[in-house]
Amino acid sequence: MKFSAAILLAVLSFPVSVLPAWAQPATTSQEVESRINTLLKQMTLEEKVGQLNTYSAGTATGPGTGLLPFPEMVSAGHVGALFNLVGAREANAMQRIAVERSRLHIPMLLGLDVIHGYRTTFPVPLGMSATWDTQLIESAARIAARESRADGINWVYSPMLDIARDGRWGRIVESEGEDPYLAAAIARAYVRGYQGTGSKPLLAGCAKHFVGYGAAEGGRDYNTTEISEHTLREVYLRPFRAAEQEGILSFMAAFNSLNGVPASANPFTLGQVLRKEWGFKGVVVGDWESVKEVMEHGIAIDGKTAALKAFKAGVTSDMQDNLYELHLAELVRSGSISEAEIDNAVRDVLRVKFALGLFDTPYADEAHPVFSGPIPEDARAVARQAAGSSFVLLKNEGKNGHAVLPLDTKTVHTIALIGPFADDRDAMLGSWSGQGKATDVVTLRSALEEYARGHNISVNYVQACTMTIVPNCDPQKAVEAARSADVVVLALGEHASERTGEAASVASLDLPGGQKDLVREVENAGKPSVMLLFNGHPLTFGELEPKLSAILEAWYPGVEAGPALVRTLFGDANPSGRLTVSFPRTVGQEPLYYNHLSTGRPADGVDLSKPPYDSDSKYVSRYLDETNAPAYPFGYGLSYTTFEYSAPQLSTASTSAALLNGGKPDAAVRITATVRNSGNVAGAEVVQLYIRRRGTSVTMPVRELKGFKKITLAPGESKNVTFTLGRDELAFWNIDMKEIVEPEEVSVWVSHDSASGTPVKFEIKQ
Ligand code: BGC
């Protein structure tokens, strides 16, 4: 498949349709409903249950499992969805069995974990979120969708919308970070990108993991979650709600138990919120064996009850654990589930299949397989831009007080390139990379060597450490290379697939293995050192930080890692990524997030760097041995230029809750600030708007993001940036669990990050 720039542009500039498929013009949806009813009348109970099964290709079936052998499962109409097939030929072969050999010719949903790209691998989701660029995220998702669909995939298990506030959690790398407002904006971008914006979705997205999975206690994957209804609605549900409003076609129920009830059998979140309040009518798939796991959680002691509870709560499709296949028909016969309930679930599945046009076009074009062809340059260009925009410059100040980046080709003649991530293709793909191929990756070493050849620079590369979960490092050659270099570039981090992602939670956030010692040894060479970090957890640097002249957070940048890094290192691109998770000083601060509530004894104004000498500094909410502040806050990121902010101007000093609640646009408050590029090079700034409300019926966060704009400024250029705070931004879930605007006092910051700026205030009267 080949994208020309023109096609790509045309695809991306399609008008946005926020209507889900079933809300399309009545004639069409009536037609679909009547086709669904016709089908339902012809289906046996077993065939109906078959539509509610999702299997991974390669699943063991046959004798001993209670199931038919595999291809027969499909031809008997017992598989509604299949995932993990590779390439158009394999997808078509299976789809043909469903469409041509099953009695009713119903096509299957063909799924895959397309997490940050299908073939063209973009930065990991946490990196993508750090771009704060929803248009770019949409473009990347659109490319992933087109590639997936071309290879027969019509259902992607993305976006992951779990708010993640604990750096120990391995899956923080798959998340959009700690903030619900930003995650909601990103959720919408993914849905538009994956599903398209026309009336016929390109494929079905899947909002996962519903819900609360990211709040695992202690950051340990799969662990219990306890979230009050207020926080659930105010924080964890918001990005899912945004995806639903944007028309996402499916949800995935999560592994965790939420307030004592497993998310995959949770009548409140699945039944009350998703189905009743939001009116969602698509597929809810369980996570891998999550229906079976409700037995481990302890709310069922046999598979039949597990299936019953999950189904009744609202899981339409059972992923991988056979429990629907084995028990649903029997549960109908015994009267525990009505056939009408089964019909409704089947309707949800068939509706998605009709929406995707699978009945008309079930097959992929095998003549143009994406899996085996080269990545087109247009897609690479988006991957390069995404990688470049995701980098977050955390530090840029050498021991002499000067910035070491960007590197100056006039003074840098020899570079020591050190570390296991400098030339490892697999690592650049990140933790979970669809059908990404390591051979597509351009590494930092190869891109840097190519650049160096053209600029008369020599590069001495030393791997120094093993690429393992706990890297073993031998600093000797690295130190030698550092001694004879003008600058040291260290490429360090965490093993991508084994130390980040699912089941990769950690109790220490330090740079793993011998890498810390490597930094210490290399420092002895006395040369400026730039650390490029490839990681999925927010790491702690501690006493390493002062030894480094610059730290660039690179996440796992994808196929264009090398070119994007080299452009940034030499100043052809200016870092514009901003953190979407707080980076702690020490793991003991976790969970750590900027938008926490106040306490009755806040530590504001207390010098936390000293032990408490008196009761004023002791009896506040603090640690005795560490400050409360993160090492790098949410929203933070440096640039090669500097930006100045004017004091924000408010359009009014007061407004009315009644008018805002009545949806009157005039009641909205506008805030304008002037942002000026006060440095010498062009750069992009993410202008962020935060609020704090007081006088409300429930306590609200000390700061909350409610707007952001990414703008580009030439040196000396100024722009006015205006935000609007209306009902959408100001309503919250109050003490009566109603989402309304209350009379309150609102402080507003327009600032560079969540820890800077000076607030102005307005009042919301009755
Ligand atoms: C993960 C999901 C994923 C599913 C299917 C599970 O282990 O939690 O995110 O979509 O597997 O591969």
Side-chain angles (χ1 to χ4, degrees):
M1 164 147 122
K2 184 103 184 90
F3 296 107
S4 74
I7 293 180
L8 196 66
L9 255 181
V11 172
L12 293 174
S13 53
F14 246 79
V16 177
S17 153
V18 291
L19 292 181
W22 45 86
Q24 298 299 323
T27 49
T28 322
S29 66
Q30 270 166 14
E31 221 172 83
V32 166
E33 293 301 321
S34 101
R35 283 179 75 181
I36 290 175
N37 285 335
T38 313
L39 259 177
L40 275 170
K41 280 193 199 115
Q42 299 170 58
M43 291 170 90
T44 63
L45 180 56
E46 282 68 23
E47 282 168 333
K48 289 177 185 173
V49 170
Q51 287 303 307
L52 310 182
N53 294 326
T54 297
Y55 288 105
S56 170
T59 295
T61 52
T65 61
L67 307 177
L68 291 169
F70 203 70
E72 279 81 343
M73 286 278 287
V74 179
S75 63
H78 287 213
V79 181
L82 197 55
F83 66 109
N84 285 340
L85 294 169
V86 179
R89 188 166 302 161
E90 211 174 290
N92 281 353
M94 275 300 182
Q95 193 67 293
R96 262 192 203 102
I97 300 178
V99 172
E100 292 164 31
R101 291 192 8 220
S102 77
R103 198 174 69 88
L104 294 170
H105 315 290
I106 302 177
M108 292 183 293
L109 290 173
L110 298 180
L112 192 76
D113 286 286
V114 175
I115 309 294
H116 49 114
Y118 176 78
R119 172 70 188 282
T120 307
T121 306
F122 299 98
V124 288
L126 191 58
M128 287 301 285
S129 73
T131 66
W132 295 62
D133 187 337
T134 50
Q135 185 59 47
L136 186 57
I137 291 170
E138 184 178 337
S139 306
R142 183 69 50 82
I143 289 168
R146 293 178 62 91
E147 291 183 354
S148 304
R149 193 73 200 246
D151 259 10
I153 304 302
N154 51 48
W155 189 22
V156 294
Y157 300 148
S158 172
M160 176 169 132
L161 302 178
D162 297 308
I163 295 297
R165 296 175 153 188
D166 192 323
R168 294 169 293 182
W169 191 43
R171 300 193 81 168
I172 197 167
V173 67
E174 290 176 60
S175 80
E176 323 305 335
E178 70 195 33
D179 183 79
Y181 181 89
L182 178 62
I186 292 177
R188 289 179 188 278
Y190 273 114
V191 180
R192 287 196 298 268
Y194 286 142
Q195 298 196 170
T197 51
S199 57
K200 190 161 140 200
L202 276 172
L203 42 68
C206 183
K208 70 186 192 186
H209 305 82
F210 197 72
V211 56
Y213 183 40
E217 278 182 7
R220 210 178 67 224
D221 206 3
Y222 316 123
N223 206 5
T224 308
T225 64
E226 289 283 333
I227 308 170
S228 71
E229 185 180 343
H230 170 79
T231 304
L232 191 66
R233 290 186 184 274
E234 202 48 43
V235 177
Y236 291 89
L237 286 169
R238 284 205 186 273
F240 287 99
R241 177 62 165 150
E244 191 276 328
Q245 286 174 330
E246 202 66 40
I248 197 147
L249 292 164
S250 75
F251 277 69
M252 185 181 288
F255 290 129
N256 54 295
S257 94
L258 172 63
N259 303 333
V261 184
S264 284
N266 195 308
F268 176 67
T269 51
L270 295 171
Q272 170 65 27
V273 175
L274 181 60
R275 298 287 189 185
K276 266 211 196 105
E277 292 178 22
W278 300 357
F280 179 67
K281 289 206 178 114
V283 172
V284 177
V285 66
D287 201 346
W288 184 284
E289 296 193 348
S290 67
V291 171
K292 194 180 201 164
E293 286 177 17
V294 309
M295 290 192 274
E296 275 310 326
H297 283 296
I299 65 156
I301 43 184
D302 54 39
K304 193 156 122 187
T305 315
L308 178 66
K309 289 199 169 182
F311 181 81
K312 286 275 188 185
V315 173
T316 335
S317 186
D318 178 17
M319 182 187 278
Q320 199 54 22
D321 55 24
N322 303 334
L323 293 184
Y324 280 15
E325 175 66 7
L326 294 176
H327 302 293
L328 279 199
E330 192 191 333
L331 284 162
V332 172
R333 287 190 199 103
S334 66
S336 305
I337 296 175
S338 70
E339 191 148 354
E341 287 175 289
I342 297 281
D343 286 357
N344 276 339
V346 176
R347 274 196 184 91
D348 291 346
V349 174
L350 294 180
R351 233 179 251 124
V352 172
K353 292 183 177 181
F354 275 109
L356 294 171
L358 295 184
F359 286 88
D360 306 321
T361 328
Y363 305 125
D365 178 0
E366 286 178 37
H368 303 285
V370 174
F371 184 59
S372 51
I375 296 179
E377 184 42 42
D378 322 53
R380 276 199 181 272
V382 177
R384 199 157 50 241
Q385 197 196 338
S389 306
S390 75
F391 301 149
V392 185
L393 185 60
L394 297 177
K395 174 178 181 183
N396 194 15
E397 190 180 348
K399 289 189 183 129
N400 55 8
H402 296 305
V404 65
L405 290 179
L407 300 177
D408 185 349
T409 48
K410 289 202 246 16
T411 52
V412 171
H413 306 296
T414 308
I415 297 175
L417 176 63
I418 298 168
F421 290 82
D423 202 24
D424 192 297
R425 292 178 148 148
D426 278 306
M428 297 302 105
L429 292 177
S431 63
W432 207 350
S433 54
Q435 299 299 353
K437 286 181 170 185
T439 47
D440 289 332
V441 171
V442 184
T443 65
L444 169 60
R445 181 189 179 188
S446 74
L448 185 60
E449 286 177 347
E450 192 186 320
Y451 184 92
R453 274 193 292 279
H455 292 81
N456 224 2
I457 297 172
S458 69
V459 176
N460 291 334
Y461 165 65
V462 183
Q463 180 175 325
C465 307
T466 56
M467 177 54 83
T468 43
I469 302 186
V470 183
N472 284 319
C473 302
D474 176 359
Q476 198 192 329
K477 288 208 178 87
V479 174
E480 280 163 25
R483 278 208 190 100
S484 51
D486 299 313
V487 68
V488 178
V489 175
L490 290 155
L492 306 178
E494 308 179 272
H495 193 288
S497 55
E498 294 185 26
R499 204 179 185 272
T500 75
E502 187 173 347
S505 295
V506 291
S508 161
L509 290 171
D510 286 353
L511 209 50
Q515 296 180 102
K516 280 187 287 189
D517 284 336
L518 180 73
V519 175
R520 288 186 198 108
E521 298 277 343
V522 166
E523 192 215 7
N524 292 335
K527 299 298 167 64
S529 303
V530 176
M531 178 165 73
L532 309 180
L533 259 188
F534 302 87
N535 53 316
H537 299 272
L539 295 180
T540 45
F541 310 128
E543 38 94 31
L544 296 186
E545 198 263 3
K547 302 186 191 306
L548 296 156
S549 305
I551 305 175
L552 184 75
E553 172 55 74
W555 318 107
Y556 301 106
V559 285
E560 284 291 303
L565 284 164
V566 168
R567 281 169 56 75
T568 303
L569 284 174
F570 287 94
D572 295 322
N574 190 348
S576 65
R578 305 289 184 255
L579 294 181
T580 57
V581 287
S582 304
F583 272 46
R585 292 167 192 273
T586 167
V587 70
Q589 293 176 306
E590 295 288 356
L592 182 68
Y593 49 98
Y594 84 97
N595 40 2
H596 58 85
L597 304 184
S598 181
T599 66
R601 295 187 180 192
D604 302 349
V606 176
D607 182 359
L608 298 176
S609 62
K610 299 200 181 98
Y613 298 116
D614 54 44
S615 57
D616 283 349
S617 62
K618 179 166 169 66
Y619 293 101
V620 294
S621 182
R622 63 172 295 176
Y623 298 108
L624 293 181
D625 51 358
E626 186 51 88
T627 68
N628 291 358
Y632 303 104
F634 175 87
Y636 175 84
L638 302 171
S639 162
Y640 295 155
T641 187
T642 44
F643 299 99
E644 276 173 17
Y645 283 66
S646 72
Q649 304 293 316
L650 294 167
S651 60
T652 175
S654 78
T655 182
S656 137
L659 291 179
L660 283 163
N661 285 321
K664 298 274 183 283
D666 289 357
V669 176
R670 282 180 311 287
I671 299 101
T672 303
T674 309
V675 183
R676 192 173 88 86
N677 179 343
S678 47
N680 297 324
V681 292
E685 170 71 329
V686 180
V687 183
Q688 301 161 39
L689 175 131
Y690 295 91
I691 64 168
R692 177 174 184 183
R693 329 134 201 249
R694 285 179 228 241
T696 41
S697 62
V698 288
T699 176
M700 296 302 289
V702 294
R703 224 154 136 154
E704 283 181 272
L705 185 76
K706 288 292 172 187
F708 64 92
K709 283 188 182 155
K710 192 162 188 174
I711 55 166
T712 303
L713 292 171
E717 191 188 2
S718 299
K719 273 186 189 158
N720 287 339
V721 183
T722 298
F723 297 95
T724 302
L725 292 174
R727 188 183 193 285
D728 285 353
E729 292 74 25
L730 293 168
F732 66 95
W733 292 90
N734 74 357
I735 196 160
D736 301 318
M737 219 43 78
K738 294 213 171 68
E739 194 184 20
I740 58 162
V741 182
E742 286 187 343
E744 64 201 36
E745 178 193 270
V746 185
S747 304
V748 187
W749 294 256
V750 177
S751 54
H752 170 75
D753 59 40
S754 64
S756 58
T758 310
V760 291
K761 282 184 187 168
F762 68 90
E763 195 185 347
I764 303 181
K765 298 187 170 149
Q766 203 64 46

